[in-house]
């Protein structure tokens, strides 16, 4: 079992829809959870990070962590064509500088 | 990308030639990383550095070497380039705890022909 699993997609949704992106993980020691957005031919950029379980909201984006299920989600409300990108989840135990990345989900928002 | 610059942005080279990619940061971060990104494989760690002259291998280090003689510069060298090393290479930096993630450069697109 890989440490972090993420559906590669592509996921296509109409503009204005709510998008749900997810990752599962196997290491119960992970405590810090991140989402990166990567536009085509660009480097990944940090979108959100959360600590432990719970929700964190930033504008149209909500990150959710369920440590009991080892499951994290990123929700995008009122999706826009500019949200079309690859989204990578990432996580860390926080004891050292090691981050484990998911392989990313390609998202297409259809105008 | 603020504080981190990769050069060159694009490079085409021939099989068997040595190639050096450069990562330069202005954030004074302790940790620097080299990743490659390929379809179906995601980001894979090649080498990383936790200080000047302190480096270690990642999961796909064969055929690559690194050097860090100054805090701000981290060089990745392909000793003898092969077609399997055609990829997009990303440098990343971190202050040292990873709790808030890494900052990535814009990438170098390398083609080995």
């Amino acid at each position: 079992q890989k440490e972090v699993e993420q559906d590669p997609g592509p996921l296509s949704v109409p503009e204005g829809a709510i998008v749900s992106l997810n990752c599962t993980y196997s290491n119960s020691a992970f405590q810090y959870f991140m989402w990166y957005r990567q536009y085509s031919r660009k480097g990944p950029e940090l979108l959100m990070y959360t600590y432990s379980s719970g929700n964190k909201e930033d504008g149209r984006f909500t990150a959710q962590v369920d440590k009991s299920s080892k499951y994290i989600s990123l929700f995008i409300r009122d999706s826009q064509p500019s949200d079309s990108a690859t989204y990578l989840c990432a996580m860390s135990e926080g004891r050292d500088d090691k981050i484990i990345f998911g392989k990313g989900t390609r998202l297409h928002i259809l105008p | 990308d603020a504080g981190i610059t990769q050069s060159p942005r694009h490079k085409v080279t021939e099989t068997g030639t040595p190639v050096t990619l450069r990562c330069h940061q202005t954030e004074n971060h302790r940790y620097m990383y080299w990743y490659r990104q390929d379809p179906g494989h995601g980001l894979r760690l090649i080498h990383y550095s936790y200080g000047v002259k302190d480096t270690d291998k990642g999961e796909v280090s064969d055929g690559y070497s690194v050097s860090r003689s100054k805090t701000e510069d981290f060089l990745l060298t392909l000793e003898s380039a092969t077609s399997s090393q055609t990829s997009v290479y990303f440098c990343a930096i971190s202050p040292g705890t990873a709790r808030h993630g890494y900052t990535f450069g814009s990438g170098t697109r390398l083609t080995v022909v």
Side-chain angles (χ1 to χ4, degrees):
Chain A
Q1 182 184 11
K2 295 187 185 298
E3 274 195 289
V4 179
E5 300 270 12
Q6 186 174 11
D7 189 326
L11 177 63
S12 297
V13 300
E15 183 176 354
I18 296 175
V19 175
S20 173
L21 303 167
N22 312 293
C23 287
T24 59
Y25 63 93
S26 58
N27 184 354
S28 58
F30 286 143
Q31 294 196 75
Y32 297 87
F33 303 90
M34 292 146 269
W35 285 96
Y36 282 81
R37 178 175 62 195
Q38 184 176 19
Y39 291 116
S40 180
R41 296 183 175 267
K42 300 288 187 182
E45 58 175 331
L46 184 65
L47 195 58
M48 297 183 71
Y49 66 88
T50 56
Y51 169 69
S52 196
S53 285
N55 292 0
K56 183 175 182 180
E57 188 174 319
D58 184 0
R60 297 185 295 111
F61 298 89
T62 299
Q64 192 172 80
V65 176
D66 182 350
K67 292 189 70 179
S68 62
S69 301
K70 298 189 180 69
Y71 189 88
I72 68 171
S73 300
L74 178 70
F75 297 97
I76 307 174
R77 293 184 299 280
D78 187 24
S79 56
Q80 304 294 312
S82 59
D83 295 326
S84 297
T86 296
Y87 290 80
L88 296 86
C89 63
M91 42 202 80
S92 166
E93 295 182 20
R95 297 183 294 108
D96 53 24
D97 205 57
K98 185 177 180 183
I99 291 179
I100 306 299
F101 289 90
K103 293 184 178 180
T105 299
R106 287 176 57 200
L107 173 66
H108 297 293
I109 306 299
L110 307 172
Chain B
D1 297 289
I4 179 170
T5 307
Q6 290 185 235
S7 58
R9 291 297 310 275
H10 301 90
K11 186 170 182 66
V12 179
T13 191
E14 293 187 349
T15 299
T17 60
V19 177
T20 296
L21 309 183
R22 179 178 183 245
C23 179
H24 178 78
Q25 61 143 331
T26 58
E27 303 296 322
N28 200 35
H29 283 343
R30 177 182 175 193
Y31 284 76
M32 299 185 76
Y33 302 83
W34 277 109
Y35 284 88
R36 61 179 290 176
Q37 188 176 43
D38 305 285
H41 292 279
L43 288 165
R44 291 184 290 175
L45 181 64
I46 305 171
H47 281 280
Y48 67 99
S49 170
Y50 46 95
V52 174
K53 297 194 187 328
D54 291 323
T55 65
D56 207 347
K57 296 178 179 180
E59 62 180 297
V60 290
S61 59
D62 288 348
Y64 302 95
S65 62
V66 290
S67 66
R68 191 171 179 198
S69 58
K70 298 186 292 185
T71 299
E72 57 266 34
D73 289 324
F74 192 31
L75 304 180
L76 176 70
T77 297
L78 288 66
E79 304 290 347
S80 177
T82 67
S83 58
S84 64
Q85 293 176 312
T86 292
S87 185
V88 181
Y89 291 85
F90 289 102
C91 177
I93 60 175
S94 167
T97 63
R99 296 177 181 182
H100 298 166
Y102 301 157
T103 300
F104 284 85
S106 298
T108 293
R109 188 170 296 270
L110 177 68
T111 302
V112 183
V113 297

